[in-house]
Structures are given as C-alpha cells and as structure tokens.
Amino acid sequence: MAHSFPRGQLSAQKRRKAEMKVSEANRIYLAKDVYRIWKSRVSEAAESITVYTPFFDGLLISLLKNAQLENESITIVTDLDPSSLLGMPKQLQAIKRALSNGINVLSTPRLHAKVLLTDDKLITVGSQNFTSYGRKSKECTAVPAATLIGSNFVDSLIRWRDDATSIDEDFIDTLLAKLLPHIKRHKQLLEGTEAEFVNLLAQHKEKKHKTLLRRLEYLERQSRIRMSNGIVYASIEHIYGEGDDYDSLIADQQYDMTRWVIEKPNGSSEPYLLSRLAMYPMIIAETGRMGFARIGKTRITYIRKSLKWSKRALEVGGYSLGVTINFPATDTKKRNIEVKLTHPYLGACEAAFLFTGDEFRLIRKSYSKGGSQWNDQYKTLVKILDDDFFGAPDSISSFFRKFFTSFTYKELGIDNKNVRDFLTGTRFRLSVIQYQENPVLVIKTQS
C-alpha cells in the first residue's frame, strides 16, 4: 500500500535534504587556503604521506614536520624540470632540505597535480601549490572525507609514485652550484618583464582614460543642452558654519545650475530646467565614477553613493522586484553601476553595468537563490530575467529611464556632505548630456 505524506511535510523533507547536500558540499569543496587541513591530515597519517606537486618551497618542509611518522615513510613527487627551477629557485633549496631530513623526493615528467595522499586512501586535491605564495592566492581544493582506497584515482597516484625516479642529493648540490648564474639572469629578465608589463598596463589604462574623456567631450559638444550664459565653471570651497564645516562645489557667481536651455531641431531654444535640490545622475569625466548629485542653484554638496528605490519596482514577467543601485568607487572604468534586483522570497540578482554617456552596457550578473522550497519558481524567475530583461535591449533602456531619473531627497534621504569624497582638485567644468531622455551631469576637472 502506497503511503501519502502531507504536502508541507514533504516540502520540509526536501528542504532538509537540499540543506544537507549544501552542507556536505561546503565541507568538501573549498575556495580558500587549506594549509590547516593539510596539517591535520599530515599529523593524523598512520602509515604514509605522499605529496604530489610541481612546485614547493620551505612551506612544505615545515608542513611535513607535523607528521608522526618516520621521514622514510614520507615521499614528495615533483617534476625536476629546468623551466620550473628557473621560476622557483627556492624549490632546489627545499629539495635539498627534504633529502637531508631523510624524506624521499621523486621526479616524474609533466606532473601538474597538487595532491596530498595519506595512508594511500585519503586525499586533498586542488589548485593550491605547496608554497607560501599559494596560501595567498585564489585557490580551490576538494577534501573528500571518504577513503578512496582501491579507486582508479588512488591507483593512478600510486602508479605515478612507483614509476617516478629518485632524486639524488649530490645532483641537487651540483644544480645549486652550477645553475645559480642562470637563475640570476632569469630573475633579471623576469624583473625587466614585470617592469615592462606595469608600464604597458599603465599606458593601456591611460588610453582607456583618454577614450572615455574624448567620448564624453564629444557627447558634450553634441548635446543640445546649454547653459543660457555659457559653460558652467565651479570650484570646491570650504564652508564654515556653526559647528558644521564642510566642502561644497560652488558655481561661479553668474551661473544658476538649475537653469539651462535646450536647442530644438529648428534652431530655436527653450528653457530646460532642473528641479532645485533634486538628485540627478552624475558622471566624473576623468574616472567614470557616478553618483546622484543634489543640485542647488549655486552649489552641489551632497552626492549619493547608493539608493534603494522605495516607491518604484522593476516589473518583469509578472514579477515585481525591488531595485537597489550602488555606485562603486574603484575600477570604475570596468563598471560604474551595480544593481541588485530582489524578490521577497525567491532570491536576488546582482548585475554590474558600465555607463559611458552614450551606452549602458551589462558587464556581468549573478543570481542567488532564496529558500530551497522555491526552486522551480526561482528557475522561472532567472529565465525571465535572462530572456525578457537582460536579453532585451529595450528593457535595459527602459530601466535606465525609470531608475536613473531625478528624485528629491525627502523621498530617499541624503548622505553626508560628501562632495570631496568624489572630487579631487579645486576647479571644474559642468555640462549636461541626455541619455534615454534623462539628464546626466558631467563634471570635468580643469587644470
């Protein structure tokens, strides 16, 4: 006779199973330094320890000192390759120390695996080399708790060890004596290469910097929005108040930053007014950094770094998603807008965009799921966003029109008087361009 379960009970069981799977995955698959796990495995080994690694240094020798075994039960399998020795000169010294301590060191060609095998049954395997440098790198390692004795994987490792060639300590002494001049020349060549790389990278960044400047300057020239009495210039001034000193970007005396004109196609013009004390999207020409600037008639003192829309939502495919916008302060040539779209219980999507004045381009996106009981609905939401929002240029354009428009601080609050957090220098030129019918303030430093 078939058993039936209440739907709520079945959902709870599925949720617990899913949570158990995630918990198990978190224990096995690690994206962090695993030295402590190596140390634990080494100290617990009862019969043998074998380390497979193409690169190692004194870190590995220190690690193996935690073993409770005699050193003759410890083996390092590496690849004694000239190119790796040039790039890792400390490896020869580490091999010398291992051999002097009675540890077996073997060489097998084209070894690239990084594995700790204890008692020929427990493993850790991943990308992290047994070096000090590896501990500070972005590495991934799998640490299965189950024994793998008799598996094809462990059998292959044992075969590699059996087929490897012993390294002689006298030969290492010879290499240390004879290769030193070559290692020094390689180091000099590497230092020269690194210096040239840094120089070329700086040139590349400067080229991208100039490209953005030229693009914004072109958009400024093409913009039909002008100040009625010429280009706006402004300076950072320190304002002294009663217990409230602050910096503010203040326009020269003849300018009103809320009063512009727009040229019509027939050559005539009409007023183009910005709402006083409203927040408008702003971009800094030199860096590409953005924010929402609170524009007064004579000054800008507040610039928002982020905002969470409280009265507007992104409506897509029958879903209503909350919208939070953040303006990063670094790497703004790569992306200068971060958007988080949030469903109350299905999950969220974080997307990075690059705005260049004439383009609003998606750079990357990632999803995070809410409760596991909503798997099917979450998958539907992801597909709708991929197809109907991110995959639809008109939807992206509409998003900019809706969420990068002006608003008043009374609705969403204001940050501290922080204009100096955004602007370096003292003298600036201001202009207004339009993107998707929204005004965007451009601020450019004047030398």
Side-chain angles (χ1 to χ4, degrees), residues 36-56:
R36 290 180 181 273
I37 294 173
W38 287 341
K39 185 176 178 180
S40 176
R41 288 283 178 95
V42 164
S43 64
E44 293 170 359
E47 298 177 4
S48 65
I49 298 169
T50 307
V51 178
Y52 299 81
T53 178
F55 306 110
F56 66 95

Side-chain angles (χ1 to χ4, degrees), residues 53-283:
T53 178
F55 306 110
F56 66 95
D57 58 18
L59 177 93
L60 178 56
I61 310 305
S62 298
L63 171 67
L64 295 175
K65 288 180 179 179
N66 295 284
Q68 305 302 311
L69 306 175
E70 297 295 329
N71 283 348
E72 62 186 17
S73 299
I74 301 174
T75 302
I76 300 172
V77 182
T78 188
D79 181 7
L80 196 63
D81 179 73
S83 60
S84 63
L85 294 178
L86 287 173
M88 276 287 299
K90 292 182 180 180
Q91 184 159 335
L92 278 176
Q93 298 169 354
I95 293 174
K96 169 70 176 177
R97 287 177 59 190
L99 292 171
S100 298
N101 292 337
I103 295 173
N104 304 300
V105 184
L106 311 177
S107 178
T108 188
R110 301 188 67 83
L111 179 71
H112 195 255
K114 295 91 175 177
V115 181
L116 172 62
L117 173 65
T118 55
D119 299 332
D120 285 352
K121 61 183 180 181
L122 291 172
I123 68 154
T124 70
V125 56
S127 63
Q128 184 170 341
N129 282 306
F130 292 80
T131 63
S132 298
Y133 184 86
R135 292 199 66 183
K136 302 171 185 176
S137 302
K138 296 178 178 68
E139 308 286 0
C140 296
T141 304
V143 188
T147 64
L148 298 182
I149 189 169
S151 66
N152 291 338
F153 184 84
V154 168
D155 288 346
S156 295
L157 293 177
I158 293 173
R159 186 171 63 253
W160 292 355
R161 183 180 63 199
D162 292 344
D163 293 343
T165 304
S166 295
I167 296 176
D168 184 83
E169 189 172 354
D170 290 340
F171 181 53
I172 296 301
D173 288 336
T174 301
L175 292 178
L176 284 168
K178 299 294 185 181
L179 292 185
L180 186 58
H182 301 283
I183 291 173
K184 287 182 177 180
R185 286 198 297 272
H186 180 269
K187 182 180 179 181
Q188 292 172 350
L189 180 62
L190 183 61
E191 289 173 349
T193 301
E194 290 175 346
E196 183 64 15
F197 177 87
V198 170
N199 181 50
L200 292 173
L201 180 61
Q203 292 179 16
H204 177 69
K205 289 182 176 179
E206 181 64 19
K207 182 179 178 181
K208 291 181 68 175
H209 167 71
K210 291 181 178 178
T211 299
L212 176 61
L213 278 177
R214 285 195 296 268
R215 178 179 291 187
L216 288 173
E217 287 172 353
Y218 172 78
L219 293 173
E220 287 179 85
R221 291 193 299 270
Q222 297 298 311
S223 176
R224 294 184 295 116
I225 303 171
R226 300 278 189 273
M227 178 58 64
S228 57
N229 55 346
I231 298 172
V232 179
Y233 289 98
S235 301
I236 294 284
E237 295 185 18
H238 191 73
I239 308 299
Y240 296 93
E242 294 183 4
D244 186 23
D245 295 353
Y246 59 92
D247 291 320
S248 185
L249 180 64
I250 299 181
D252 290 356
Q253 189 172 3
Q254 66 270 34
Y255 303 118
D256 180 342
M257 289 193 291
T258 65
R259 302 182 66 84
W260 302 73
V261 295
I262 184 168
E263 297 176 357
K264 301 173 70 173
N266 62 7
S268 62
S269 62
E270 62 182 23
Y272 188 87
L273 305 180
L274 303 183
S275 298
R276 180 176 175 271
L277 301 183
M279 296 279 189
Y280 286 89
M282 169 217 72
I283 184 169

Side-chain angles (χ1 to χ4, degrees), residues 420-435:
R420 184 50 91 182
D421 292 345
F422 282 77
L423 302 177
T424 59
T426 57
R427 188 71 172 161
F428 303 89
R429 189 185 78 192
L430 281 62
S431 60
V432 174
I433 61 175
Q434 276 188 316
Y435 183 76

Side-chain angles (χ1 to χ4, degrees), residues 261-383:
V261 295
I262 184 168
E263 297 176 357
K264 301 173 70 173
N266 62 7
S268 62
S269 62
E270 62 182 23
Y272 188 87
L273 305 180
L274 303 183
S275 298
R276 180 176 175 271
L277 301 183
M279 296 279 189
Y280 286 89
M282 169 217 72
I283 184 169
I284 300 171
E286 287 76 20
T287 63
R289 187 179 180 187
M290 294 191 66
F292 274 97
R294 183 176 181 238
I295 298 179
K297 292 180 66 175
T298 61
R299 67 192 61 199
I300 296 173
T301 305
Y302 302 95
I303 302 177
R304 285 197 67 95
K305 302 175 182 178
S306 63
L307 71 148
K308 182 176 182 180
W309 282 102
S310 58
K311 297 183 179 179
R312 298 182 189 181
L314 174 64
E315 308 292 341
V316 56
Y319 292 97
S320 182
L321 305 178
V323 176
T324 301
I325 298 171
N326 178 60
F327 299 106
T330 59
D331 290 333
T332 49
K333 302 285 178 52
K334 299 177 182 177
R335 52 68 178 122
N336 52 11
I337 297 172
E338 295 171 342
V339 173
K340 186 172 184 179
L341 307 174
T342 308
H343 189 274
Y345 52 86
L346 295 184
C349 174
E350 295 185 9
F353 293 86
L354 179 65
F355 177 69
T356 58
D358 59 352
E359 186 180 25
F360 181 56
R361 184 172 77 250
L362 176 68
I363 302 301
R364 63 176 181 272
K365 66 180 186 297
S366 63
Y367 293 96
S368 57
K369 186 170 61 174
S372 56
Q373 68 269 36
W374 307 108
N375 282 346
D376 291 341
Q377 296 95 321
Y378 168 76
K379 291 177 181 178
T380 300
L381 173 62
V382 170
K383 188 175 189 310

Side-chain angles (χ1 to χ4, degrees), residues 369-433:
K369 186 170 61 174
S372 56
Q373 68 269 36
W374 307 108
N375 282 346
D376 291 341
Q377 296 95 321
Y378 168 76
K379 291 177 181 178
T380 300
L381 173 62
V382 170
K383 188 175 189 310
I384 287 174
L385 282 174
D386 282 344
D387 295 346
D388 299 342
F389 181 61
F390 294 112
D394 288 346
S395 295
I396 296 294
S397 299
S398 176
F399 180 84
F400 192 95
R401 282 195 300 271
K402 183 174 181 179
F403 294 99
F404 290 84
T405 186
S406 62
F407 60 91
T408 62
Y409 73 92
K410 290 180 181 178
E411 295 173 358
L412 295 171
I414 54 176
D415 291 331
N416 294 327
K417 299 172 181 178
N418 61 346
V419 68
R420 184 50 91 182
D421 292 345
F422 282 77
L423 302 177
T424 59
T426 57
R427 188 71 172 161
F428 303 89
R429 189 185 78 192
L430 281 62
S431 60
V432 174
I433 61 175

